[in-house]
């Protein structure tokens, strides 16, 4: 017996390798059927009966290739797909750690990455130079950029499971490989230059404030070039040392991160305590001021005009400086305290040109150095502006991606990432903004503007504010800066390796390889080389604006990705984080671009140029471009290029959306029978995607060409009236079934082909005989063979109009998993105003061996990852005995088929006899249904009530009967009576049919009980019989009738065999 017919309870290893297939949209259960005769098929079905749950026997063909929901959910509910963090290759595998929460997993890592070296060595200078107001605006602008970016990032990060990789993975998966590759390289470059900035900052802290005697280029306080040369040499040595640590001991780097975080937090606490401890100032620091100019390298004891030390400096060769002669020398307290009112002296900015002197006020006589001698006066080493200071300070607010990079380690990433990141930004922003005000209210203006603390003997201003002494800040800031540098040197190579492994930038291929120890050695070497180039700049004030450009570009693209996704309304865009809007993302994007251009237009051009080059390289690598002649030619070429790109392969699961083919049946007047099928298509598409409406006319095209043109015009009018945005066409064929098959196989162009078919339910299949159901089932088989999804709306006349709003429930009965289409459809419907107020309820059936409690929990977890809000209910169906009603109804169904076959009626006779048989055998057994799939305006006659129930099933939506039923239903002709008596003997119905009828009846009872009042019931459409036999096909139609009996609006859905929904971002 072929393996394809052995149906057992599937497990996660045999049913579907979901985790590999979901992302690519691989076909589910893609089985190449063998050619078997009907006897083989029937014997195979008999052998599998005992393995099928009695309550699901109607879906036995589906369960052979598609998993039952309990199996599917248990296999993917708790699945993880994250890039492992850096680990020590020599260490033993650690025990599984507890999943981290918001505080440990997101908040603290973001705090550690946001607080950096700028806070300790440049914030006081920024406040003194820009003043309290402008300084506050500088910090606020930078914080607004990161806050808006964090909102956009939260939306992206909660739109499924985000692997580690920060903005690169977010943008590459949202905007495509071109943007992703460009941003990935920008992010990598920014992270590498950040390491250089941290290293230079660490060296500055040591040489300037801790060990100035270690200078190897002389007294750097008198020569800026000597200072920067020291930074370059020591920075290179420190880079090599840190590179060796990263290469050899990743374990040390990960552990040191905790120490660095503790140092940052303790240092900030020490500063705040010190500010309030020195509320009245202190006597630790005094500056020597000549007139209004700040002096350096002047001992406080010698800070008098009468002292020979001062005279020797300003009166060489007995010729004194005019400014020295005309002004007095004074001692000024550096730390004045909040109670001193110094805040009012620090309100306004004091921007200077390079070479101007630091002094009180803006008088040119005080700030201009007229002579060539500096006379120990402190000069501005760079030209300062508001925008430049934004660029210098901006690295202090970067690091907001730290939480999203750890999504794989979080217990609930979709909750922790937004809360943790936004709270970290709020916390750090509060610290920065309050620090601006506290520094302006505590420290004298001249001391704030003394960048390197030369006026107080080379001391760090922040360190001298802190409690209990300066070494708390000096050691803490050095260790935290060192830790941040190590983290950057650890993360940058792995990011480069991830980009290289994506194979979107071919020249990076060598960096995709790892060493035998699993380390990205080649990427680490390149990172060290680039970092060394940054260190050779030797100045934090040059490095900070440069790396700000790269981070601003990354953040700008994050905002762009969120705005694009929101405006396009792709089906996969379902962020759990709801507090976002496309306008906020656009504001964030505008801020990023504005800050870039204002800060340094040439650095901005460098970053943008790098992004454009990488983007174009990825876009055009291996692609042949062809330019047309004129605007129309260019448009044609662009369309051709896009179609060829779409043809390259099936769309990613995230990009899958229903491209609909509506098969509309026309009546004798060439009018569509079911007008509301167009409304339903409009509601499902919400104005997005491709919709094609096609009708098939029977006849010879050469004879009825004009008729086809009229029909197409009518079809187009219906589409316009129902606001269906798409195309329509008419096909003329000799046989309706063959015409529909041709349409399904050939419709579309290249990658712009429909993937979903909507076809109306043949309400009069009993009356019209085999021709009716054969066309329907043949279409179902053709759609399945083309791997397209199928939707069959039943009760289409009761569906709401597009201009109506309804409330209530949309119930999904999820029996078997066929790609997740049942989950996606109600979400798409709810995007339309008609269904927006409806709530989703998902029902699934538990088998005997299933743990319904765990099944419900897993289903809730799965829906949580899908970002779909719905109530969940697991229905337990007991294996009850098959009822006498089931046997009787099955027997009647079989007798009807046998009579029709035995009668051997020709086509003309069949139309008169079929209804008689239907009435006779269904009046006594058919359960009363309150639902009529017909136009509710049709009047009913009181007589022949049971006959009218069946008659109403044959009425079209336009109010006309499809087939004229015989008037006398109580009388039969002789042939009918003979056939009836012949098959009324005690015949045992086929067990195969009994089991399927039992499934249909039991499921219908449960569905009607739970969902009778639902606005829409969506359920799996069972697969059609494999055998092409009239009896089996007729039975299949009867099973579907029984399954949907008593339900007003039903949508039967059958997936196309590929995943259409994903939990990943």
């Amino acid at each position: 017996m072929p393996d394809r017919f052995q149906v057992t309870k599937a497990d996660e290893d045999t049913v579907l390798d979901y985790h590999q297939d979901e992302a690519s949209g691989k076909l589910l259960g893609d089985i190449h059927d063998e050619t078997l005769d009907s006897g083989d098929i029937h014997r195979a079905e008999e052998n599998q009966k005992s393995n099928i749950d009695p309550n699901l026997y109607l879906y036995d063909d589906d369960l052979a290739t598609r998993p039952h929901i309990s199996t599917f959910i248990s296999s993917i509910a708790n699945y993880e797909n994250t890039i492992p963090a850096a680990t020590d290759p020599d260490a033993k595998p650690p025990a599984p750690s507890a999943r981290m929460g918001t505080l440990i997993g997101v908040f603290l890592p973001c705090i550690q990455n946001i607080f950096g070296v700028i806070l300790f060595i440049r914030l006081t200078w920024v406040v003194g130079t820009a003043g309290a107001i402008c300084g506050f605006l500088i910090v606020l602008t930078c914080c607004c950029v990161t806050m808006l970016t964090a909102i956009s990032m939260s939306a992206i990060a909660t739109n499924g499971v985000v692997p580690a990789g920060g903005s690169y993975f977010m943008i590459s998966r949202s905007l495509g490989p071109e943007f992703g590759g460009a941003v990935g390289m920008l992010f990598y470059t920014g992270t590498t230059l950040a390491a250089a900035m941290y290293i230079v900052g660490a060296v500055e802290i040591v040489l300037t404030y801790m060990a100035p005697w270690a200078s190897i280029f002389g007294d750097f306080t008198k020569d800026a070039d000597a200072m920067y040369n020291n930074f370059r040499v020591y920075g290179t040595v420190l880079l090599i040392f840190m590179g060796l640590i990263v290469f050899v001991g990743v374990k040390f780097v990960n552990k040191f991160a905790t120490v660095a975080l503790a140092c940052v937090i303790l240092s900030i606490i020490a500063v705040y305590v010190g500010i309030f401890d020195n509320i009245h100032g202190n006597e630790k620091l005094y500056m020597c001021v000549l007139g209004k100019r700040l002096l350096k390298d002047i001992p406080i004891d010698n800070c008098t005009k009468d002292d020979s030390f001062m005279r020797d400096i300003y009166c060489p060769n007995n010729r004194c400086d005019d400014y020295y002669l005309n002004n007095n020398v004074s001692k000024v307290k550096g730390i004045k305290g909040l109670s001193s009112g110094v805040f009012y002296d620090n309100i306004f900015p004091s921007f200077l040109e390079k070479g101007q002197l630091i002094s009180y006020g803006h008088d040119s006589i005080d700030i201009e150095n007229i002579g060539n001698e500096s006379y120990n006066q402190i000069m501005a080493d760079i030209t300062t502006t508001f925008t430049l200071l934004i660029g210098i300070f901006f690295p202090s607010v970067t690091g907001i991606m730290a939480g999203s990079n750890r999504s794989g380690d979080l217990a609930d990433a979709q909750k922790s990432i937004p809360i943790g990141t936004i709270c970290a930004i709020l916390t750090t922003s509060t610290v920065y903004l309050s620090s601006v005000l506290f520094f302006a209210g505590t420290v004298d203006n001249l001391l704030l503007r003394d960048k390197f603390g030369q006026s107080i003997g080379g001391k760090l201003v922040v360190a001298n504010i802190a409690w209990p002494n300066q070494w708390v800040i000096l050691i803490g800031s050095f260790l935290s800066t060192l830790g941040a540098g190590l983290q950057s040197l650890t993360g940058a190579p792995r990011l480069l390796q991830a980009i290289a492994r994506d194979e979107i930038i071919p020249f990076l291929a060598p960096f995709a390889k790892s060493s035998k120890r699993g380390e990205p050695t080649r990427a680490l070497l390149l990172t060290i080389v680039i970092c060394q180039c940054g260190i050779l700049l030797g100045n934090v004030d040059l490095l900070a604006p440069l790396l700000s450009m790269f981070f601003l570009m990354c953040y700008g693209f994050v905002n762009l990705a969120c705005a694009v996704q929101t405006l396009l309304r792709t089906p996969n865009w379902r962020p759990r984080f709801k507090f976002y809007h496309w306008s906020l993302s656009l504001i964030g994007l505008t801020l990023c671009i504005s800050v870039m251009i204002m800060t340094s237009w040439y650095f901005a051009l460098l970053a943008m140029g790098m992004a454009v080059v990488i983007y174009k390289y990825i876009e055009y690598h291996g692609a042949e471009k062809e330019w047309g002649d004129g605007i129309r030619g260019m448009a044609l070429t662009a369309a051709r290029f896009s179609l060829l790109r779409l043809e390259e392969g099936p769309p990613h699961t995230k990009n899958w959306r229903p491209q609909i083919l509506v098969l509309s049946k026309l009546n004798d007047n060439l009018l569509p029978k079911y007008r509301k099928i167009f409304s339903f298509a409009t509601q499902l598409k919400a104005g997005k995607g491709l919709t094609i409406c096609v009708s098939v006319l029977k006849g010879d095209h050469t004879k009825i060409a004009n008729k086809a043109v009229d029909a197409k015009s009518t079809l187009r009018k219906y589409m316009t009236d129902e606001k269906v945005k798409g195309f329509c066409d008419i096909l003329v064929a000799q046989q309706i079934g063959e015409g529909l098959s041709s349409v399904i196989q050939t419709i579309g162009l290249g990658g712009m082909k429909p993937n979903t078919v909507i076809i109306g339910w043949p309400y009069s299949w009993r009356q019209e005989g085999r021709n009716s159901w054969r066309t329907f089932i043949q279409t179902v088989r053709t759609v399945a063979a083309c791997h397209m999804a199928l939707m069959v709306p039943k009760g289409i006349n009761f569906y709401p109009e597009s201009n109506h709003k309804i409330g209530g429930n949309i119930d999904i009965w999820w029996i078997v998993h066929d790609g997740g289409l049942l989950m996606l459809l109600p979400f798409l419907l709810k995007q339309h105003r008609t269904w927006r107020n409806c709530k989703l309820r998902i029902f699934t059936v538990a088998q005997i061996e299933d743990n319904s409690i765990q099944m419900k929990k897993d289903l809730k977890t799965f829906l949580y990852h899908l970002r779909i809000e719905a109530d969940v209910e697991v229905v337990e169906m007991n294996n009850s005995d098959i009822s006498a009603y089931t046997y009787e109804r099955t027997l009647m169904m079989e007798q009807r088929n046998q009579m029709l076959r035995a009668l051997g009626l020709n086509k003309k006779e069949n139309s008169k006899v079929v209804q008689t048989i239907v009435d006779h055998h269904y009046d006594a057994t058919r359960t009363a249904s309150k639902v009529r799939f017909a136009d509710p305006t049709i009047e009913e006659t009181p007589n022949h009530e049971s006959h009218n129930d069946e008659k109403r099933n044959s009425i079209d939506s336009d109010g006309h009967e499809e087939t004229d039923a015989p008037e006398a239903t109580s009388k039969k002709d002789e042939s009918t009576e003979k056939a009836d008596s012949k098959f009324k003997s005690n015949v045992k119905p086929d067990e195969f049919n009994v089991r399927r009828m039992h499934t249909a009846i039991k499921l219908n009872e449960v569905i009607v009980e739970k969902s009778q009042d639902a606005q829409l019931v969506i359920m799996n459409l069972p697969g059609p019989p494999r055998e092409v036999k009239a009896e089996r096909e007729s039975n299949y139609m009867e099973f579907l009738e029984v399954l949907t009996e008593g339900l007003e609006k039903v949508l039967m859905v059958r997936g196309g065999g590929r995943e259409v929904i994903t939990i990943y971002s």
Side-chain angles (χ1 to χ4, degrees), residues 84-310:
T87 57
D88 184 5
D90 298 328
K92 296 180 180 180
S97 59
R99 307 289 271 173
M100 292 187 292
T102 303
L103 179 66
I104 303 297
V106 180
F107 181 77
L108 292 180
C110 285
I111 290 288
Q112 178 188 358
N113 281 267
I114 293 174
F115 284 132
V117 64
I118 302 295
L119 169 64
F120 301 106
I121 67 175
R122 289 292 184 273
L123 184 57
T124 53
W125 173 72
V126 169
V127 174
T129 304
I133 296 176
C134 289
F136 193 89
L137 290 177
I138 288 171
V139 175
L140 184 62
T141 301
C142 296
C143 293
C144 285
V145 171
T146 54
M147 177 58 74
L148 292 172
T149 304
I151 292 173
S152 299
M153 185 196 72
S154 297
I156 298 174
T158 58
N159 188 47
V161 179
V162 177
S167 59
Y168 164 64
F169 279 93
M170 291 184 191
I171 296 170
S172 63
R173 273 55 177 177
S174 298
L175 295 181
E178 293 88 357
F179 281 108
V183 173
M185 290 305 298
L186 291 173
F187 194 39
Y188 165 74
T189 307
T191 305
T192 304
L193 291 178
M197 186 190 71
Y198 290 133
I199 291 173
V200 174
V203 173
E204 179 179 320
I205 291 172
V206 173
L207 283 182
T208 307
Y209 308 114
M210 298 174 68
W213 48 265
S215 172
I216 57 178
F217 291 97
D219 187 1
F220 57 83
T221 61
K222 298 179 180 179
D223 185 2
D225 291 335
M227 176 191 297
Y228 298 139
N229 287 333
N230 277 303
F231 292 170
R232 294 182 181 103
V233 173
Y234 281 107
T236 301
V237 174
L238 185 57
L239 173 63
I240 295 173
F241 176 71
M242 294 170 65
L244 290 175
I245 292 177
V246 172
F247 176 73
V248 176
V250 174
K251 180 179 179 181
F252 171 78
V253 176
N254 291 334
K255 289 187 175 180
F256 190 76
T258 306
V259 178
L261 175 61
C263 290
V264 169
I265 295 175
L266 290 176
S267 298
I268 292 174
I269 293 175
V271 171
Y272 273 95
V273 173
I275 288 174
F276 289 99
D277 182 59
N278 297 312
I279 194 169
H280 300 293
N282 63 45
E283 305 297 326
K284 295 179 183 178
L285 301 178
Y286 277 90
M287 303 175 294
C288 189
V289 178
L290 173 61
K292 294 183 179 181
R293 296 177 179 177
L294 182 63
L295 304 181
K296 65 179 178 179
D297 300 330
I298 304 293
I300 292 299
D301 295 336
N302 303 116
C303 186
T304 61
K305 202 168 184 179
D306 299 332
D307 193 278
S308 60
F309 185 85
M310 292 282 293

Side-chain angles (χ1 to χ4, degrees), residues 463-567:
N464 284 272
I465 297 175
W467 178 89
N469 58 58
Q470 64 175 348
W471 289 101
V472 175
I473 300 298
L474 292 177
I475 296 175
S477 60
F478 173 74
L479 291 179
S480 65
T481 304
L482 204 64
L486 285 171
Q487 288 291 328
S488 297
L489 285 178
T490 304
R494 285 164 174 79
L495 176 58
L496 179 64
Q497 186 182 50
I499 299 172
R501 285 179 173 175
D502 275 352
E503 298 179 350
I504 59 175
I505 304 179
F507 68 78
L508 292 180
F511 301 102
K513 297 182 180 180
S514 300
S515 65
K516 295 181 180 178
R517 302 170 61 251
E519 290 294 302
T521 306
R522 296 182 180 181
L524 177 61
L525 292 176
L526 179 62
T527 302
I528 291 176
V529 171
I530 298 175
C531 188
Q532 176 61 30
C533 295
I535 290 175
L536 291 179
L537 292 175
N539 190 347
V540 170
D541 298 331
L542 291 178
L543 278 169
L546 180 59
L547 71 92
S548 293
M549 296 300 114
F550 295 105
F551 281 117
L552 282 166
M553 285 286 289
C554 293
Y555 295 165
F557 276 114
V558 170
N559 286 299
L560 176 63
C562 181
V564 168
Q565 293 276 43
T566 306
L567 291 172

Side-chain angles (χ1 to χ4, degrees), residues 550-617:
F550 295 105
F551 281 117
L552 282 166
M553 285 286 289
C554 293
Y555 295 165
F557 276 114
V558 170
N559 286 299
L560 176 63
C562 181
V564 168
Q565 293 276 43
T566 306
L567 291 172
L568 289 180
R569 296 181 182 178
T570 55
N572 189 63
W573 182 245
R574 304 183 303 276
R576 187 163 293 278
F577 180 77
K578 301 299 182 183
F579 304 100
Y580 72 95
H581 194 268
W582 60 266
S583 59
L584 294 178
S585 299
L586 289 182
I587 292 173
L589 174 61
T590 304
L591 267 179
C592 289
I593 297 175
S594 301
V595 170
M596 287 177 63
I597 296 175
M598 288 190 303
T599 301
S600 176
W601 63 267
Y602 44 88
F603 280 164
L605 290 179
L606 176 65
M608 291 179 181
M610 179 178 173
V612 170
V613 169
I614 297 174
Y615 178 91
K616 290 299 181 181
Y617 176 78

